[in-house]
């Protein structure tokens, strides 16, 4: 394993080096939080694909393929569909807003007063997303070094916190681009063909497995529908995803770069399912489906290649973890702490906020690592986060973008009704049940429509300013340099 260890060590050292380099670029709030809004199509596509395809998409996607066959691709497939929908229908408008958080968008659209409540919901989602990604380090380092779970979480989490704190979004962008390349080579170009060949090819796989493993809908219609509600819609409104949209240098980059990234996700989804199906042929009696990825990597890949593929898994986890971490810190500082202190800066004010945001990344990083060590059930934590996100924020966000009659009272009622319904139904039906997100969405929609129609329409001046921002006619307020980065 010496060669594999060397590959991993070089990779981790490279991540820290890029964090140090990114620190030299992040000299303003805009550069630190959204990479100066200067990413061109190549870097934008790569980093967007990197953040949405994390440990759950890689290790979990292979595990679903092991359990259900080709239909196991649906979880990651719906992530890709959500990214495509966001890119084609909404990303151009989002990029033109020139904000930093989803809550700032809600304040612009509804005229204020929606930020803190929506910020708390978004903060809980991004925190849990970062926690669950951090826990995945334990699985990978256990395969690599037979390492204690707590030590693995601290080691992996500390590296991500270090480079994220140093350079903010610039460091994360650079590391995510490397991680995108490593994932593409490790999973698509190496592990996928090797796994199929070791399993005897598709003919042998079909001969040894039940026909249901090759049924595109074998995982079940209700499960697919739930994936669409949680992951497709979740992609439309998550702070971690929007913050990447904000990094695009223009609306065309956001639209077409995101479309390329979404298409890549669809390919990645199918690849994970095929790898899992091949693992089922090779290891039919694994105790856990989630062990399929680590097992096939450890037993079937040659020295050196194994290290690169494990680095790919590490890249997948790190990209999601770092993206969720900076999103969590951005929301905590800009949407909650600054508003509670009553010091939210006026538009265009460029106080030296890099130090404050850097401190919040460090604090949130420590909180993520401590929570990851204490938490046992990762699936339940992530389910709670996505249920609250979709049930509480989907309707007011999409309503604000699509329906001019929506009001701030309707938005607040929607967040509260959806959030309370989701929490109450999870307590009654169970955290992993489908009903909480179904009925939570209905409660949120009903409250939004009823209260918006029963209250005075949004001030025309607010709507006029909103339309100006959507059209991109408001001057840049984030202090970004006008010099584009072509790649």
């Amino acid at each position: 394993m010496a060669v594999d260890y060397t590959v991993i060590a070089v990779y981790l050292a490279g991540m820290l080096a890029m964090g140090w380099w990114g620190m030299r670029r992040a000299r303003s709030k805009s550069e630190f939080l959204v990479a100066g809004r200067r990413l061109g199509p190549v870097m934008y596509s790569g980093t967007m694909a990197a953040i949405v395809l994390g440990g759950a998409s890689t290790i979990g996607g292979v595990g679903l393929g092991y359990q259900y066959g080709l239909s196991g691709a649906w979880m990651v497939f719906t992530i890709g569909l959500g990214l495509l929908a966001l890119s084609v229908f909404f990303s151009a408008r989002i990029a033109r807003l020139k904000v930093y958080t989803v809550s700032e968008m809600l304040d612009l659209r509804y005229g204020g007063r929606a930020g803190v409540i929506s910020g708390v919901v978004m903060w809980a989602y991004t925190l849990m997303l970062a926690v669950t990604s951090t826990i995945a380090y334990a699985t990978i380092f256990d395969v690599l070094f037979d390492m204690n779970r707590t030590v693995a979480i601290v080691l992996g989490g500390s590296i991500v916190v270090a480079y994220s704190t140093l350079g903010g979004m610039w460091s994360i962008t650079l590391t995510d681009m490397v991680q995108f390349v490593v994932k593409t080579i490790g999973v698509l170009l190496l592990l996928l063909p090797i796994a199929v060949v070791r399993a005897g090819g598709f003919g042998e796989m079909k001969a040894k497995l039940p026909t249901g493993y090759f049924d595109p809908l074998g995982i079940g219609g209700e499960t697919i529908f739930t994936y669409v509600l949680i992951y497709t819609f979740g992609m439309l409104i998550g702070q971690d995803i929007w913050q990447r949209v904000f990094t695009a240098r223009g609306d065309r980059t956001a639209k077409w770069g995101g479309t390329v990234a979404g298409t890549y996700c669809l390919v990645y989804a199918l690849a994970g399912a095929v790898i899992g199906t091949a693992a089922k042929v090779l290891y039919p009696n694994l105790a856990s489906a989630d062990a399929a990825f680590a097992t096939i990597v450890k037993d079937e890949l040659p020295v050196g290649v194994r290290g690169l593929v494990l680095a790919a898994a590490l890249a997948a986890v790190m990209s999601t973890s770092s993206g969720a971490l900076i999103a969590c810190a951005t929301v905590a500082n800009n949407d909650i702490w600054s508003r509670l202190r009553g010091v939210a800066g006026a538009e265009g004010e460029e106080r030296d906020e890099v130090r404050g945001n850097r401190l919040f990344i460090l604090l949130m990083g420590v909180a993520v690592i401590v929570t990851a060590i204490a938490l046992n059930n990762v699936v339940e934590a992530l389910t709670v986060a996505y249920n609250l996100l979709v049930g509480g924020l989907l309707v007011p966000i999409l309503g604000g973008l699509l329906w001019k009659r929506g009001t701030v009272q309707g938005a607040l009622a929607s967040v509260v009704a959806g959030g309370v319904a989701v929490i109450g139904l999870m307590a009654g039906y169970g955290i992993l049940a489908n009903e909480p997100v179904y009925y939570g969405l209905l409660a949120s929609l009903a409250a939004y429509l009823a209260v918006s129609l029963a209250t005075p329409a949004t001030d025309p001046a607010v709507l006029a300013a909103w339309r100006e921002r959507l059209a991109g006619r408001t001057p840049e307020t984030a202090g970004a340099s006008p010099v584009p980065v072509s790649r």
Side-chain angles (χ1 to χ4, degrees):
M1 293 285 288
V3 175
D4 297 323
Y5 292 160
T6 301
V7 172
I8 298 296
V10 169
Y11 168 76
L12 294 177
M15 296 300 99
L16 290 174
M18 291 197 177
W20 183 261
W21 187 86
M23 181 175 66
R24 302 172 61 186
R25 299 289 301 269
R27 297 177 179 177
S28 70
K29 178 180 178 180
S30 174
E31 289 172 337
F32 191 82
L33 294 181
V34 290
R37 307 186 195 275
R38 292 191 290 163
L39 297 192
V42 174
M43 288 195 72
Y44 180 84
S45 298
T47 57
M48 181 63 86
I51 188 177
V52 300
L53 296 174
S57 299
T58 304
I59 299 171
V62 171
L64 287 171
Y66 182 89
Q67 191 172 359
Y68 298 104
L70 297 185
S71 67
W74 272 106
M75 183 188 78
V76 184
F77 201 82
T78 56
I79 290 174
L81 291 178
L83 186 51
L84 284 171
L86 174 71
S87 301
V88 172
F89 299 112
F90 300 108
S91 63
R93 282 180 283 178
I94 292 170
R96 288 195 293 264
L97 290 175
K98 305 300 183 187
V99 295
Y100 292 104
T101 68
V102 175
S103 295
E104 287 182 39
M105 167 264 165
L106 292 174
D107 279 351
L108 279 172
R109 166 59 183 82
Y110 295 111
R113 295 184 291 166
V116 173
I117 295 177
S118 61
V120 170
V121 175
M122 190 64 76
W123 174 80
Y125 157 73
T126 53
L127 178 71
M128 285 297 101
L129 184 61
V131 165
T132 53
S133 300
T134 303
I135 291 174
Y137 296 128
T139 302
I140 298 170
F141 283 119
D142 178 57
V143 174
L144 283 172
F145 309 115
D146 192 23
M147 187 179 290
N148 174 271
R149 176 182 183 274
T150 299
V151 175
I153 289 173
V154 171
L155 175 61
S158 297
I159 292 172
V160 170
V161 172
Y163 72 69
S164 300
T165 302
L166 285 172
M169 186 59 81
W170 267 123
S171 294
I172 292 172
T173 296
L174 295 170
T175 54
D176 277 2
M177 196 63 199
V178 173
Q179 289 159 357
F180 169 74
V181 173
V182 171
K183 280 192 287 192
T184 300
I185 295 173
V187 175
L188 297 185
L189 301 184
L190 292 176
L191 181 57
L192 175 61
I194 291 173
V196 172
V197 169
R198 292 296 176 92
F202 285 102
E204 189 70 14
M205 290 162 63
K206 287 184 177 180
K208 290 187 176 180
L209 294 173
T211 56
Y213 266 74
F214 301 91
D215 179 1
L217 304 178
I219 199 170
E222 184 179 357
T223 298
I224 295 172
F225 180 67
T226 302
Y227 284 159
V228 169
L229 279 184
I230 293 178
Y231 297 112
T232 300
F233 287 127
M235 287 296 106
L236 298 180
I237 59 174
Q239 169 68 25
D240 52 326
I241 309 302
W242 277 42
Q243 199 156 344
R244 293 311 173 97
V245 176
F246 300 150
T247 65
R249 74 179 183 202
D251 51 6
R252 286 181 60 84
T253 296
K255 182 176 181 178
W256 297 111
T259 301
V260 171
T263 304
Y264 178 90
C265 291
L266 304 184
V267 175
Y268 200 88
L270 184 59
V274 171
I275 293 168
T277 304
K280 184 67 175 179
V281 173
L282 295 168
Y283 312 100
N285 299 311
L286 290 178
S288 168
D290 285 341
F293 179 88
T295 302
I296 197 169
V297 169
K298 190 174 183 180
D299 294 348
E300 302 298 332
L301 299 185
V303 172
V305 173
R306 179 172 50 203
L308 183 59
V309 173
L310 286 173
L314 201 56
V317 175
M318 282 186 162
S319 57
T320 299
S321 181
S322 59
L325 176 60
I326 193 171
C328 179
T330 302
V331 171
N333 187 17
N334 291 269
D335 291 339
I336 301 175
W337 178 244
S338 293
R339 293 167 190 262
L340 292 177
R341 289 193 306 155
V343 296
E347 259 188 24
E349 184 179 347
E350 260 308 302
R351 300 189 312 272
D352 179 16
E353 297 187 60
V354 173
R355 181 180 299 178
N357 283 291
R358 184 173 280 139
L359 176 61
F360 264 85
I361 291 180
L362 180 60
L363 292 175
M364 291 300 104
V366 172
V368 164
I369 292 172
V370 171
T371 307
I373 293 171
L375 200 62
N376 291 319
N377 198 315
V378 181
V379 176
E380 289 191 358
L382 194 59
T383 301
V384 169
Y386 267 103
N387 282 352
L388 283 173
L389 176 71
V390 175
L393 292 181
L394 178 68
V395 171
I397 291 172
L398 294 189
L401 290 169
L402 299 173
W403 190 44
K404 66 179 182 180
R405 184 61 181 82
T407 67
V408 64
Q409 294 89 351
L412 291 172
S414 178
V415 173
V416 173
V420 170
V422 163
I423 293 172
L425 291 168
M426 283 192 296
Y429 285 97
I431 289 176
L432 299 179
N434 294 327
E435 287 83 359
V437 72
Y438 295 168
Y439 298 124
L441 265 175
L442 290 175
S444 180
L445 178 61
Y448 183 71
L449 294 175
V451 176
S452 291
L453 293 173
T455 52
T458 303
D459 187 336
V462 171
L463 288 178
W466 167 253
R467 286 192 292 270
E468 288 292 304
R469 292 291 284 264
L470 280 180
R473 289 192 289 267
T474 297
E476 173 83 38
T477 63
S481 168
V483 180
V485 175
S486 63
R487 297 184 65 81

